Amino acid sequence: MLRLPAKVAERGAGFADFVLHHAALGDRGLSLKALMMPSCLVEQPWLDDTVLEISRNPMPGGGFVLTFTDITERKRAEQALRDSEERIRLVTDAVPALIAYVDAEQRFRFVNKAYEGWFNRKREEIEGQPMWAALGDLYYEVRRSYVLRALAGEEVTFDLELPGENGAPRYAVATYIPHFGERRGGGKPEVLGYFGLIHDITERRMAAEALADAKDSLERRVVERTAELTRLNGQLQQEIAERIAAEEALRLAKAEAEQANLSKTRFLAAASHDLLQPLNAARLFVSALGDLEQPEPNRGLVDNIDVALASVEDLLSALLDISKLDAGAVRPEIADFPIKSLFGALATEYAAVAKERGLDLCVVPSHAVVRSDIRLLRRILQNFLSNALRYTQAKRWARGGAGRVLVGCRRTREGLRIEVWDTGPGVPADKLEEIFQEFRRLDTPCANERVRGMGLGLAIVERVARMLDHPITVRSQPGRGSVFAVTVPFGRYARPVRALEAPVQTASNRLAGTRVLVIDNEPAVLAGMRALLEGWGCSVATAASGDEALAGLGAVAPDVLFADYHLDDGVIGFTEIARVRERCGADLPSVLITANRTAEVVEEAQAKGCHVLNKPVRPAQLRAVMTGLLA
């Protein structure tokens, strides 16, 4: 309702009062200029956000009629429509797809921002234009049939291919959705236009084509690679077959080599008995001959024969040891033991040798406990000591003074390092590795050229140390001496260990009158033992078997019994010793003589209360053992 002041709204009020009253409203007042026009139609904001549409129409009598119409709701609806359109534009402009609305007359009424980029035209140049005018006849002809179908009420989807920038094609998928509205005056809904959605699929199409090309290329490469792999697989299979054949040949060769090595070891083990038997007899004969009075020329011949036999004995023993180590026939027996149990035996064993050669031998005692095989470790130290005593001069040839050999220990992080020092000629630095090879001897002065080594001692040391995993080191200064050392792990505790026995040098006159029984199946060995022992003043009885020995026993039992390990018909010496002891007493001192140097034989002998002498028997060692047994 239009509100006016009472005096203005009364019938007969002046028009000037009405205009002047509203002129006071300022911007919201009436436009006087517009109202003074003969004919006008203005939209006038009014009080309380009201909008009036004022029309001035002339009258025949010269007056005019003002018509006030409240169009507030219409203006609000128009503004809401504009706001909605603006929001729609904001949303649709953010969509990458092309969105348009086309009316029934095929005119663009709305397009989004994407249309500008696709057709390179401003939207103002497109909206309100017919399709053929806005997009061009060519594009329209492509779409014309689909447009007609959409305006007929059918939803249509089709592909588009158009020239793009630089002549490159552009691809899209278009969808036309009809827009139905109420027919004027009621009735069946009619098509007022349609919405067009166009999705640019150029990148997807190009990616698909690139993927197809890549697939074709990949398929070609797969075919090529397959052919190449097939060829390589054939070559590989051929190589595998050749390798299998080579490995089979290698396996057979290895088996043959192992069999040959085993045969060699068995041969050496078997031959050792046959070789050492005559050698043992020869040593016995030579020793017996040496005890007899001989003319001076004969004495020299006997000494030379003894030295030659000793060299053969050392060589055979070393070869047997190396063959057993290489064949794996030696198995270490690791245990914890005090090192003094080994040092005591070495000091006793080599004291006489050092004294004979005019050398000072000093063994420094130690209370350390080590973990090793006591017999194999003794073999290492024996070789160190033998070399030191062999090559050290009684008077030092460099500076004068007595030659000296020292055995001592040092505690290290790795274990106990046992060192053997000597004042010998030393070893050049470029020869330190060579001395551990078989049959390698240096051209250095030897204290006794008649007992020069065979070059196998340190080779045995290297093999034994490798088996025990004990590092070997050598330090040497030519003209001053050498230090050979072996490092042994520390032990945690010391089990009771029977001390290794060493030969004891005593006078031979204590053996006079001793009754000795010797059992051996070799007549030459029996004759040699008889000659040697009788030369010492012993009463000797010999027998080829236990039966013969028992048959020949008189009323007086022997004082000492010697028996060979291997007798005829597979009889073992332990068996014959037991039979004789059964007759003469279990405490009869007995010695087993054998070429078998395995630990099992030694352990069995110790268990049966027997001593062991290895062939060939050294007369001095035989005398020492007899003296010890009869003490």
Side-chain angles (χ1 to χ4, degrees):
M1 176 182 291
L2 181 63
R3 292 175 294 176
L4 296 173
K7 69 176 184 175
V8 175
E10 292 177 357
R11 184 184 298 272
F15 178 70
D17 294 333
F18 173 78
V19 172
L20 291 175
H21 171 76
H22 288 282
L25 296 177
D27 292 341
R28 299 182 63 84
L30 294 175
S31 175
L32 295 178
K33 182 178 181 179
L35 293 177
M36 294 304 294
M37 295 294 293
S39 176
C40 71
L41 177 64
V42 296
E43 294 181 0
Q44 180 64 47
W46 204 253
L47 299 177
D48 299 329
D49 295 329
T50 302
V51 180
L52 299 179
E53 183 181 72
I54 304 174
S55 62
R56 182 175 183 273
N57 299 307
M59 296 296 293
F64 59 88
V65 176
L66 292 177
T67 304
F68 296 86
T69 305
D70 189 351
I71 60 172
T72 303
E73 292 301 326
R74 190 181 73 188
K75 299 301 289 185
R76 288 177 179 175
E78 291 177 354
Q79 184 62 38
L81 181 61
R82 287 193 296 271
D83 293 343
S84 176
E85 182 178 349
E86 185 64 26
R87 287 194 297 270
I88 291 173
R89 286 190 180 277
L90 290 175
V91 174
T92 56
D93 285 350
V95 177
L98 280 69
I99 302 176
Y101 180 74
V102 179
D103 62 14
E105 286 74 27
Q106 301 183 31
R107 293 178 178 272
F108 282 107
R109 293 302 180 185
F110 170 84
V111 296
N112 66 343
K113 190 73 174 178
Y115 260 80
E116 294 183 349
W118 180 277
F119 292 103
N120 196 24
R121 294 181 65 184
K122 297 293 185 181
R123 71 173 76 187
E124 291 80 4
E125 300 175 5
I126 299 176
E127 293 179 342
Q129 298 294 322
M131 291 186 63
W132 53 87
L135 304 181
D137 294 338
L138 177 63
Y139 185 59
Y140 175 71
E141 289 300 325
V142 173
R143 302 168 57 180
R144 185 165 181 265
S145 60
Y146 302 107
V147 170
L148 296 178
R149 290 167 59 184
L151 293 177
E154 179 183 354
E155 182 174 329
V156 184
T157 299
F158 58 95
D159 294 336
L160 284 174
E161 180 177 349
L162 298 172
E165 297 180 0
N166 301 324
R170 301 192 69 177
Y171 304 95
V173 175
T175 301
Y176 292 168
I177 303 174
H179 173 215
F180 293 93
E182 293 292 336
R183 187 184 298 273
R184 294 183 180 88
K188 184 178 179 180
E190 61 180 350
V191 177
L192 303 180
Y194 67 87
F195 294 96
L197 302 176
I198 301 177
H199 297 274
D200 188 352
I201 61 169
T202 303
E203 293 184 1
R204 187 171 67 185
R205 176 71 66 86
M206 299 300 293
E209 293 177 356
L211 182 61
D213 293 341
K215 180 182 177 182
D216 293 340
S217 176
L218 181 60
E219 288 178 351
R220 288 195 303 271
R221 292 173 60 188
V222 167
V223 172
E224 294 172 357
R225 291 292 178 88
T226 301
E228 180 67 15
L229 287 176
T230 302
R231 185 181 64 81
L232 293 177
N233 187 40
Q235 292 181 354
L236 182 60
Q237 289 180 353
Q238 182 178 357
E239 292 177 1
I240 291 175
E242 293 174 355
R243 181 172 297 179
I244 291 174
E247 290 178 352
E248 180 64 19
L250 181 61
R251 186 186 65 80
L252 293 176
K254 181 181 178 182
E256 292 177 359
E258 291 176 349
Q259 184 62 34
N261 191 34
L262 182 60
S263 300
K264 179 197 70 174
T265 304
R266 289 176 178 173
F267 169 76
L268 288 175
S272 63
H273 182 270
D274 296 337
L275 290 173
L276 293 177
Q277 281 289 80
L279 180 60
N280 185 41
R283 289 295 304 276
L284 294 174
F285 282 126
V286 170
S287 296
L289 188 60
D291 292 336
L292 300 177
E293 293 292 335
Q294 299 286 346
E296 190 60 30
N298 292 350
R299 171 64 59 184
L301 292 175
V302 172
D303 291 342
N304 289 333
I305 293 173
D306 186 61
V307 171
L309 290 176
S311 298
V312 174
E313 174 189 344
D314 291 340
L315 180 59
L316 283 177
S317 298
L319 288 173
L320 289 173
D321 289 340
I322 288 181
S323 66
K324 290 178 181 178
L325 291 172
D326 290 343
V330 179
R331 293 289 184 269
E333 298 179 1
I334 305 300
D336 296 340
F337 61 88
I339 197 65
K340 64 181 180 180
S341 63
L342 181 57
F343 276 13
L346 290 174
T348 303
E349 180 178 355
Y350 286 95
V353 178
K355 183 177 181 181
E356 179 184 354
R357 298 180 181 176
L359 302 174
D360 291 336
L361 174 61
C362 179
V363 180
V364 181
S366 173
H367 298 284
V369 177
V370 297
R371 183 170 182 78
S372 181
D373 185 302
I374 188 170
R375 298 186 182 280
L376 294 178
L377 181 59
R378 178 184 181 182
R379 177 63 61 86
I380 294 175
L381 298 179
Q382 280 179 326
N383 279 285
F384 285 168
L385 273 170
S386 297
N387 283 346
L389 294 172
R390 179 180 294 119
Y391 290 99
T392 302
Q393 301 286 348
K395 290 186 178 181
R396 295 187 61 187
W397 51 273
R399 295 183 302 172
R404 191 179 185 191
V405 176
L406 172 67
V407 181
C409 301
R410 295 180 187 271
R411 292 179 179 268
T412 66
R413 291 183 178 180
E414 292 76 19
L416 187 70
R417 189 167 69 232
I418 306 172
E419 299 178 339
V420 178
W421 295 65
D422 66 64
T423 57
V427 181
D430 59 342
K431 302 291 184 181
L432 290 178
E433 294 184 2
E434 182 178 333
I435 60 177
F436 287 94
Q437 299 176 11
E438 297 89 343
F439 301 105
R440 292 298 181 94
R441 297 183 302 180
L442 302 182
D443 295 330
T444 53
C446 183
N448 188 351
E449 293 294 338
R450 300 181 63 187
V451 291
R452 189 176 180 87
M454 296 295 160
L456 291 175
L458 291 180
I460 294 175
V461 166
E462 193 273 335
R463 285 168 168 80
V464 173
R466 187 170 64 244
M467 179 192 305
L468 296 176
D469 195 20
H470 294 352
I472 297 292
T473 57
V474 183
R475 305 194 307 275
S476 185
Q477 292 185 9
R480 298 182 60 89
S482 304
V483 182
F484 287 80
V486 57
T487 303
V488 186
F490 288 112
R492 295 186 177 180
Y493 60 92
R495 295 185 298 177
V497 178
R498 181 176 179 178
L500 296 175
E501 298 179 358
V504 180
Q505 305 293 334
T506 58
S508 61
N509 56 3
R510 296 184 57 184
L511 301 179
T514 301
R515 297 181 298 276
V516 181
L517 174 59
V518 181
I519 304 175
D520 199 303
N521 59 337
E522 290 290 338
V525 174
L526 293 177
M529 288 288 286
R530 179 183 292 276
L532 180 63
L533 294 174
E534 286 181 350
W536 294 346
C538 299
S539 175
V540 182
T542 59
S545 64
D547 293 336
E548 184 178 340
L550 292 174
L553 282 177
V556 182
D559 297 317
V560 181
L561 169 61
F562 291 95
D564 188 22
Y565 183 68
H566 290 288
L567 299 173
D568 291 337
D569 301 327
V571 178
I572 301 300
F574 288 128
T575 303
E576 306 308 289
I577 291 175
R579 293 176 63 189
V580 175
R581 279 180 169 179
E582 186 178 356
R583 173 79 65 86
C584 301
D587 57 347
L588 174 63
S590 303
V591 180
L592 184 74
I593 300 176
T594 178
N596 190 330
R597 298 170 182 262
T598 60
E600 290 79 1
V601 173
V602 176
E603 292 176 356
E604 186 177 359
Q606 291 178 349
K608 296 181 181 299
C610 300
H611 290 262
V612 176
L613 285 177
N614 291 320
K615 294 181 179 180
V617 177
R618 299 178 181 179
Q621 188 178 18
L622 178 64
R623 184 188 301 116
V625 170
M626 289 181 63
T627 303
L629 290 175
L630 298 174

